[in-house]
Amino acid sequence: MALLEVKNLKVHFEIQDGWVKAVDGVSFTIDSGETMGLVGESGCGKTTAAYAITQLLPPNGRIKGGRIFFKEPARVAAFRKEYNDRLKDSTKARQNEISKVGKRLDELNRSGIDSGPELDELKDRLSALKFSYDLLSLSKRKDGSLDDYNEDIRKIRWTQISMIFQGAMNAFNPVFKVGDQIVEAITLHEDVDDSTARKRARELFEFVGIAPDRIDNYPHEFSGGMKQRAMIALALALNPSFIIADEPTTALDVITQDRILAEIRRLQEQLEMAMMIITHDVSVVAEVSDKIGVMYAGLIMEIGQTAQVFRDTAHPYTAGLLGSFPSIKGEKKRLVSIPGFPPDLVTPPSGCPFHPRCQYAQKRCEEERPKGIAIEPGHISYCHFAKELWEKLRRSA
Amino acid sequence: MPEADIIVKVRGLKKYFELKKGFLSFGKDVSYVKAVDGVDFDMRSGEILGLVGESGCGKTTVGRLLTRLEDPTDGFVFFLGRDIALIEGQDVKVFRRNIHMVFQDPYESLNPRTTVTQTIMEPLLNHHIGESQEERVEMVVQALEDAGLAPAREYLNRFPHELSGGQRQRVSIARALAVKPRVIIADEPVSMLDVSIRAGVLNLMLDLRDKYGIPYLFITHDIAVARYISDRLAVMYLGRVVELAQTDDVIFEPKHPYTQALLSAVPVPDPDAKHGRIKIKGEVPSAADVPLGCRFRPRCPKAFRECGWEAMDLVEWLREKGLLAEDTDLGKAVATLKPNGFVLRMELKDGADPGAIAGFMNDLVAKSKKIDPIMDAVAAVDTIMMDRVIEIRCRPAAMSAEELAGELFALLESTVAYREPDHPMHGIIADMRLDKNRLTVSVGGDTQNLKLAEAFLGDYVRHHRRKNRPEFKGVKNISPSPSAMTVTVTCSASREPAAKTAIDVAAYIERCLAADDLAKFARLVLPAEVKGRKVRVYVMGSEDNWNRLLDTLNELLIADEGSNEGIAQKVSEIAVKTTKGPHMAVATRFIGADEPPLFDEGRGHQVACYLFKGGPG
Ligand SMILES: Nc1ncnc2c1ncn2[C@@H]1O[C@H](COP(=O)(O)OP(=O)(O)O)[C@@H](O)[C@H]1O
Ligand SMILES: Nc1ncnc2c1ncn2[C@@H]1O[C@H](COP(=O)(O)OP(=O)(O)O)[C@@H](O)[C@H]1O
Ligand code: SF4
Ligand code: SF4
Ligand SMILES: [Mg+2]
Ligand SMILES: [Mg+2]
């Protein structure tokens, strides 16, 4: 079952010269327990897509379209079903129900009750009544900006979806002990005392391969690799069902990177957590992803199971990207570089954004944005000539 | 490889940065970051030598040493046979023109306020290259087109911000090429570039090498990139080259345990490639705290008895085994652990029984030595009385003119053996003769060579005097004789300071103790420590051992005059001093080992690992 479904997502940034079309119509799904790699060169919109999912956009970011469906808590889903069955399509009946729940909430508020099972239930009922399970419908303002402080989103963020940010190694506050920062994250979101949270922090450290007695160290006492592990521990602290890791190994040396990737594989196996790994390095995605989306200039070019994208490549950009990576395996072949350079996203090329650099481009490519063409089940290429080029592009297995 | 093809030769290169220890230490306890710690390699004409390793291993510092942006702490860089440390005056300019550097960050390495033309023109003007302005513009155009920026006209008047990252790096390369250098040092030149652009710049660099035959030192942390571009590959770890061979020999037949682990960790852009990972322990130690013996040992899965186990390893081992916990035999008896090189001293609490603790450690060693190489490497465990020390006070020594000439002769022969076929003076210096206070160097070839030899000897003496041979100020005269085709170096009497004689004395003691008849007793003697003008020696075991050591030292250093290399005149006093140290301790002494040098495994495959000691050559 799809845990996350992103549909035609568009996120633009307003700047002096106009709009940066950082994400301009991106769609994909991730199932529970599945890891998707989002790969592409820097500036193609990967981080922006991730921020939109966690509903954290820079102030000049605007959602220009699309929907993000994310699994909702079981009880909200149950209430939704109950209301859908009972209220059918009647807007009036729904309005009545909403004001009924709202009234009771007000009563509780007035009597000074700010927690407890009844309050929780009423809030879940309200979510089920008022919102579809599109995350964007929760926090999107009229102008497309997102309300970071929206309460429903804050409930989901970190507890359901958590994120390891790019450059996360420096995300810890240098003046507090690493362990304390994890303890705080736990106690902020969960109703547990400090000693329970501390115990959890120690377990998390152990789980990610750091000696538990290091929780009393300050960030500067950790190496780069250890900080990155601690960051993973922090992301796991509230048992999320989905983790987004943005360039989790980019600043690390290969030996440390290898250990972190092994750690990520262990998480996938032991916790059956769904993940999205963002990276510019195709060898990293090859190591940890079930499926891969290749992005270029704010759009997905090709998406499919890892082996499909690597072996049965069906998009000229993917082929170019793979061809420009040297490898330490096999014979040394001359690398084929992609001519030109990635476009400016304020005025991206018309039609297929890759056309100015594509050796197969034809007139149609300048005029018409390619639609997804299914090559095999689960394997989609956004190239007009995917079917025709496929035989040429795929690498003999 | 014929000598003529070697463009750059690096030998024993070291760069230590002083580590400031906070304002409370008044320069006493200086320690050093050993950024580069004994590096050897050659760069050959037309060849790309890759230098790979994890961040912080010293790659950039090597590049900076080669371009003289940094002065070495020790060791040599020979550029076309000349020691670059000795290049002075006008020659520095020529040198800078010949070794050019391309940097990592195309955004920072270009001045934002100068156009492409100005950027590339600058080194041409600096080095007075080109007869006229027109000729220089022509050279700029050529360099740009060589760097793949064609038609060059389009780029001439652009500023850096009007160029993409890849184009900026091409401008940097054009700038390096314009002066037609003999060597290019490229420090991570593609690391900041986007993947799709990186391949183009790499191909450009390969094509230019093919066209002009300029050798590169290509520094990178990316092993796949290094493999792609290099003909030969040097792998660095913690300041040293640990493996060097033809690129694909390193990639497909790595021999050093570190290289093996490193390669097994490189991700491959192929989902089906399953690579067997080689696990190594822990993380790279700090360059301020480099392990003794083989520096990879604390992490090495193949480490064995002879790898230079030291006190720190034993502390770690005991801790891991839980033997230092408070309620254990050791935990109860030990007050402080004092790891010091190859000796671990455990200072005991009052009332603890030293004999029992020594016995405990001896049992532990006996029990574990079959399974654990670290315990196999223990030479001796015994009690040690810490309330006394044998102190040898040293004094400045007069050096006769003859001795000084002898020292200079020995230094010339050993550190840069002129007989070695690849020494810059090879074929120029034909012979050296020592005659009392005079060193006569015969020069082969024409009088031009005579000048070279004279300049070389002058530079050589000056360089060493400044560095750590103050006594060389006794070198009085270097005079060539065209008729005899010789250069004569005349020495006069000089003086060696006490701090220096102390080092000689300590080394002499170590040498004597290694002799067969003393070897058994010598295992109980801790390595001599030099503190200023004093040499301190401790011995393990009973009172008798102290007396025996005292007698031995008296005999070796004073009584045995005549056969002791002039040591007697460097020693002013030998005495047992009582100290306020804790009463008793137990010492564990390891067999120790030097750093493994690069062993040649055939086909120019060099590995710095004792597993390959028996290899050919
Ligand atoms: N706050 C912002 N304002 C304007 N442009 C932005 C902002 N954040 C990102 N961008 C631009 O959006 C594009 C996509 O950026 P990003 O999502 O960070 O790419 P990636 O993560 O793939 O490197 C880039 O062109 C970037 O310059
Ligand atoms: N100017 C300096 N002062 C002190 N330490 C330095 C200096 N330059 C480099 N180092 C240290 O020397 C070591 C090697 O650095 P560097 O040569 O930059 O390595 P690499 O290029 O392989 O990453 C590192 O530990 C670094 O911190
Ligand atoms: S649509 Fe056209 S320009 Fe785009 S990738 Fe396909 S062939 Fe190339
Ligand atoms: S010498 Fe070789 S075997 Fe010994 S520790 Fe070093 S790398 Fe390992
Ligand atoms: Mg990013
Ligand atoms: Mg560097």
Side-chain angles (χ1 to χ4, degrees):
Chain A
M1 198 200 74
L3 176 75
L4 175 77
E5 185 174 0
V6 174
K7 272 192 164 167
N8 202 21
L9 178 69
K10 293 187 182 179
V11 188
H12 297 178
F13 293 108
E14 186 164 22
I15 57 167
Q16 258 181 355
D17 309 340
W19 291 87
V20 181
K21 299 173 189 69
V23 174
D24 205 31
V26 159
S27 305
F28 57 84
T29 60
I30 297 178
D31 290 345
S32 32
E34 189 178 49
T35 296
M36 170 163 140
L38 193 59
V39 63
E41 295 174 79
S42 70
C44 71
K46 306 179 297 293
T47 297
T48 306
Y51 273 91
I53 295 169
T54 52
Q55 314 272 291
L56 289 167
L57 280 186
N60 64 337
R62 297 286 180 274
I63 302 288
K64 289 288 182 175
R67 313 227 272 167
I68 299 171
F69 298 114
F70 184 72
K71 163 200 103 163
E72 53 191 341
R75 184 159 69 171
V76 181
F79 288 145
R80 184 186 308 287
K81 188 162 181 325
E82 177 199 319
Y83 289 126
N84 286 351
D85 290 348
R86 188 146 60 81
L87 309 172
K88 302 281 180 311
D89 291 336
S90 160
T91 348
K92 190 145 175 271
R94 190 168 289 261
Q95 278 307 328
N96 280 340
E97 203 66 37
I98 289 176
S99 57
K100 216 166 82 188
V101 175
K103 237 188 222 147
R104 180 69 191 134
L105 269 172
D106 281 348
E107 273 170 36
L108 288 182
N109 253 340
R110 268 199 300 280
S111 53
I113 296 171
D114 59 2
S115 66
E118 192 188 355
L119 196 79
D120 288 346
E121 182 188 325
L122 289 171
K123 281 184 180 165
D124 282 352
R125 284 186 178 278
L126 209 58
S127 305
L129 281 165
K130 272 169 72 177
F131 310 117
S132 75
Y133 69 109
D134 173 10
L135 294 185
L136 291 175
S137 73
L138 300 181
S139 65
K140 191 171 74 177
R141 300 195 189 95
K142 277 217 175 61
D143 65 352
S145 65
L146 292 179
D147 175 9
D148 286 2
Y149 293 96
N150 175 286
E151 237 188 80
D152 298 284
I153 287 301
R154 283 159 68 91
K155 247 194 278 170
I156 293 172
R157 197 188 297 140
W158 304 122
T159 59
Q160 295 280 328
I161 302 180
S162 74
M163 183 152 172
I164 301 168
F165 294 102
Q166 186 163 3
M169 299 193 331
N170 306 317
F172 283 107
N173 187 331
V175 302
F176 296 112
K177 292 173 181 169
V178 177
D180 289 350
Q181 301 188 47
I182 294 178
V183 167
E184 197 196 328
I186 297 171
T187 50
L188 204 69
H189 286 93
E190 278 180 32
D191 192 16
V192 296
D193 58 20
D194 269 19
S195 73
T196 315
R198 224 179 128 74
K199 194 164 154 266
R200 169 107 58 92
R202 292 177 71 93
E203 286 164 8
L204 286 164
F205 260 44
E206 189 139 36
F207 186 76
V208 299
I210 310 176
D213 52 2
R214 305 283 307 244
I215 65 169
D216 286 324
N217 283 163
Y218 288 91
H220 72 89
E221 295 172 288
F222 278 12
S223 68
M226 285 168 76
K227 277 189 234 172
Q228 196 60 299
R229 279 164 198 260
M231 214 53 227
I232 295 176
L234 181 63
L236 290 174
L238 299 160
N239 291 316
S241 43
F242 181 51
I243 291 189
I244 302 175
D246 192 1
E247 307 273 6
T249 62
T250 298
L252 304 174
D253 277 313
V254 281
I255 291 180
T256 319
Q257 161 169 294
D258 188 49
R259 289 180 180 167
I260 297 291
L261 294 180
E263 208 65 64
I264 288 175
R265 273 190 300 269
R266 201 161 62 88
L267 291 183
Q268 292 164 347
E269 275 162 32
Q270 295 187 357
L271 305 180
E272 290 185 20
M273 187 146 345
M275 300 188 88
M276 182 157 105
I277 309 258
I278 295 176
T279 170
H280 67 282
D281 188 339
V282 295
S283 8
V284 167
V285 287
E287 296 255 332
V288 288
S289 312
D290 303 313
K291 70 196 280 189
I292 290 181
V294 180
M295 263 186 98
Y296 182 76
L299 291 170
I300 298 243
M301 298 286 105
E302 180 169 7
I303 193 163
Q305 296 301 306
T306 302
Q308 291 173 331
V309 173
F310 274 93
R311 291 247 169 273
D312 295 343
T313 310
H315 194 285
Y317 176 65
T318 314
L321 195 63
L322 294 176
S324 50
F325 256 94
S327 170
I328 62 161
K329 289 265 143 67
E331 236 180 278
K332 224 193 259 190
K333 277 181 291 205
R334 190 168 168 92
L335 296 177
V336 189
S337 68
I338 306 175
F341 41 90
D344 163 24
L345 295 185
V346 178
T347 47
S350 59
C352 170
F354 188 52
H355 83 252
R357 305 175 74 188
C358 179
Q359 57 172 313
Y360 307 107
Q362 303 196 12
K363 188 108 191 43
R364 185 176 165 203
C365 307
E366 288 172 41
E367 291 160 358
E368 190 186 329
R369 181 182 283 185
K371 294 202 174 49
I373 294 177
I375 303 293
E376 293 167 293
H379 185 190
I380 299 166
S381 165
Y382 293 81
C383 165
H384 291 309
F385 309 110
K387 286 237 158 81
E388 293 84 334
L389 292 172
W390 187 40
E391 278 305 323
K392 197 177 291 177
L393 298 175
R394 57 192 295 201
R395 306 197 292 181
S396 46
Chain B
M1 175 68 38
E3 172 68 5
D5 285 344
I6 293 179
I7 311 289
V8 175
K9 196 173 172 66
V10 175
R11 286 296 176 271
L13 193 62
K14 291 187 183 176
K15 178 69 193 180
Y16 293 178
F17 293 104
E18 213 171 281
L19 196 64
K20 306 271 179 305
K21 271 214 166 162
F23 60 97
L24 280 180
S25 62
F26 291 97
K28 275 232 163 130
D29 263 1
V30 268
S31 60
Y32 296 93
V33 175
K34 299 181 174 175
V36 174
D37 198 16
V39 159
D40 300 336
F41 61 79
D42 294 339
M43 288 180 66
R44 302 163 180 174
S45 113
E47 182 188 69
I48 300 182
L49 175 66
L51 188 62
V52 290
E54 295 172 273
S55 63
C57 72
K59 305 180 296 296
T60 294
T61 308
V62 167
R64 292 173 60 83
L65 288 163
L66 259 57
T67 44
R68 254 186 66 166
L69 289 170
E70 212 81 72
D71 288 327
T73 307
D74 200 0
F76 305 89
V77 176
F78 297 110
F79 171 64
L80 293 172
R82 285 191 76 179
D83 182 345
I84 68 167
L86 305 178
I87 296 176
E88 276 172 10
Q90 275 303 305
D91 293 354
V92 174
K93 235 176 167 182
V94 179
F95 167 75
R96 292 214 191 281
R97 167 182 167 183
N98 276 323
I99 296 198
H100 224 90
M101 195 136 174
V102 176
F103 296 95
Q104 169 171 14
D105 191 344
Y107 300 88
E108 278 180 6
S109 58
L110 300 181
N111 182 340
R113 277 186 293 274
T114 55
T115 62
V116 166
T117 305
Q118 289 166 321
T119 299
I120 301 173
M121 190 78 84
E122 186 194 309
L124 295 178
L125 291 169
N126 272 344
H127 295 300
H128 308 293
I129 298 170
E131 300 285 304
S132 62
Q133 187 65 8
E134 288 79 68
E135 193 184 332
R136 281 190 284 271
V137 171
E138 200 45 51
M139 287 171 157
V140 171
V141 168
Q142 177 67 39
L144 282 171
E145 297 198 337
D146 275 346
L149 296 173
R153 218 169 311 107
E154 276 198 19
Y155 298 94
L156 290 175
N157 296 317
R158 290 208 205 171
F159 288 93
H161 69 90
E162 296 169 311
L163 300 167
S164 71
Q167 289 169 336
R168 276 181 242 212
Q169 201 54 302
R170 285 170 194 265
V171 171
S172 292
I173 293 169
R175 177 181 152 98
L177 280 175
V179 294
K180 302 259 175 321
R182 299 292 304 264
V183 176
I184 288 182
I185 313 285
D187 189 2
E188 308 265 10
V190 298
S191 301
M192 306 278 285
L193 301 180
D194 253 326
V195 185
S196 69
I197 290 158
R198 196 181 288 177
V201 173
L202 289 173
N203 285 342
L204 167 73
M205 293 188 76
L206 282 172
D207 294 344
L208 291 174
R209 186 276 308 265
D210 292 346
K211 185 167 172 190
Y212 294 112
I214 304 174
Y216 307 140
L217 180 69
F218 192 100
I219 297 173
T220 175
H221 70 281
D222 186 329
I223 294 144
V225 165
R227 183 209 170 193
Y228 181 64
I229 196 139
S230 340
D231 302 307
R232 283 191 310 142
L233 196 54
V235 180
M236 270 187 94
Y237 179 75
L238 197 54
R240 261 176 106 90
V241 170
V242 295
E243 183 156 5
L244 198 169
Q246 297 297 321
T247 298
D248 275 1
D249 287 349
V250 175
I251 299 291
F252 295 114
E253 287 167 50
K255 291 183 190 291
H256 197 284
Y258 172 68
T259 316
Q260 291 173 346
L262 187 70
L263 286 168
S264 83
V266 176
V268 259
D270 177 352
D272 296 337
K274 291 273 176 296
H275 50 198
R277 287 201 164 63
I278 296 167
K279 286 220 175 88
I280 56 175
K281 284 177 268 177
E283 311 206 1
V284 187
S286 150
D289 208 355
V290 175
L292 296 175
C294 172
R295 57 193 60 211
F296 187 53
R297 183 199 56 258
R299 311 177 68 196
C300 181
K302 296 188 177 161
F304 59 107
R305 182 173 180 265
E306 273 77 24
C307 295
W309 298 91
E310 57 177 318
M312 279 314 301
D313 301 322
L314 183 55
V315 173
E316 191 56 33
W317 190 88
L318 291 168
R319 192 166 283 146
E320 258 175 34
K321 295 262 184 301
L323 291 170
L324 295 175
E326 269 170 36
D327 52 351
T328 59
D329 288 353
L330 281 183
K332 278 185 237 160
V334 174
T336 16
L337 289 171
K338 288 264 171 76
N340 182 11
F342 294 119
V343 180
L344 175 65
R345 276 183 226 166
M346 296 170 162
E347 293 177 358
L348 302 186
K349 293 177 186 157
D350 284 342
D353 175 358
I357 294 300
F360 174 87
M361 286 300 294
N362 265 315
D363 286 350
L364 199 59
V365 171
K367 218 166 51 195
S368 318
K369 71 196 275 179
K370 286 243 161 51
I371 31 176
D372 242 325
I374 177 175
M375 293 314 239
D376 203 14
V378 170
V381 182
D382 210 331
T383 56
I384 181 162
M385 287 179 270
M386 294 299 298
D387 54 355
R388 69 196 70 181
V389 62
I390 297 181
E391 202 169 85
I392 304 156
R393 287 176 70 85
C394 300
R395 60 183 170 205
M399 265 185 121
S400 67
E402 283 83 4
E403 273 174 302
L404 185 62
E407 290 262 314
L408 178 59
F409 183 81
L411 186 70
L412 265 168
E413 267 209 323
S414 66
T415 56
V416 258
Y418 72 96
R419 283 185 234 279
E420 212 182 281
D422 43 18
H423 188 265
M425 286 293 114
H426 178 75
I428 295 179
I429 295 182
D431 192 21
M432 290 201 305
R433 262 177 308 113
L434 187 60
D435 181 19
K436 297 209 179 86
N437 68 332
R438 241 190 297 253
L439 185 67
T440 309
V441 177
S442 324
V443 176
D446 51 21
T447 46
Q448 185 59 32
N449 282 354
L450 200 63
K451 277 210 185 95
L452 283 177
E454 182 193 357
F456 167 77
L457 289 166
D459 289 345
Y460 188 78
V461 169
R462 212 170 326 125
H463 179 70
H464 283 284
R465 192 182 67 213
R466 271 204 302 259
K467 232 172 178 176
N468 57 4
R469 293 281 192 152
E471 65 271 25
F472 279 3
K473 64 176 179 287
V475 175
K476 276 290 169 294
N477 195 346
I478 299 176
S479 58
S481 152
S483 58
M485 279 299 279
T486 57
V487 182
T488 305
V489 183
T490 315
C491 298
S492 60
S494 185
R495 260 172 96 80
E496 230 182 336
K500 189 99 191 307
T501 59
I503 293 169
D504 294 344
V505 170
Y508 182 75
I509 295 172
E510 293 295 314
R511 262 202 312 282
C512 293
L513 288 177
D516 279 348
D517 54 330
L518 277 176
K520 205 153 175 246
F521 175 60
R523 281 203 308 216
L524 298 173
V525 181
L526 306 196
E529 298 167 10
V530 179
K531 278 254 158 71
R533 53 162 56 201
K534 291 174 204 150
V535 179
R536 289 186 177 156
V537 195
Y538 292 90
V539 64
M540 302 184 206
S542 62
E543 194 87 37
D544 288 349
N545 286 355
W546 283 96
N547 294 333
R548 178 166 176 202
L549 181 60
L550 193 61
D551 291 348
T552 310
L553 289 174
N554 267 309
E555 198 172 308
L556 289 173
L557 300 179
I558 297 179
D560 208 6
E561 208 173 343
S563 68
N564 73 5
E565 305 172 12
I567 288 293
Q569 60 152 319
K570 297 181 179 178
V571 173
S572 64
E573 184 191 27
I574 303 179
V576 179
K577 292 266 152 91
T578 52
T579 64
K580 337 195 252 296
H583 208 62
M584 284 308 273
V586 170
T588 305
R589 188 200 209 285
F590 285 96
I591 55 174
D594 293 331
E595 186 100 40
L598 283 167
F599 296 108
D600 201 323
E601 275 290 284
R603 294 214 303 151
H605 197 143
Q606 297 178 298
V607 200
C609 165
Y610 284 126
L611 287 169
F612 299 93
K613 205 173 179 173

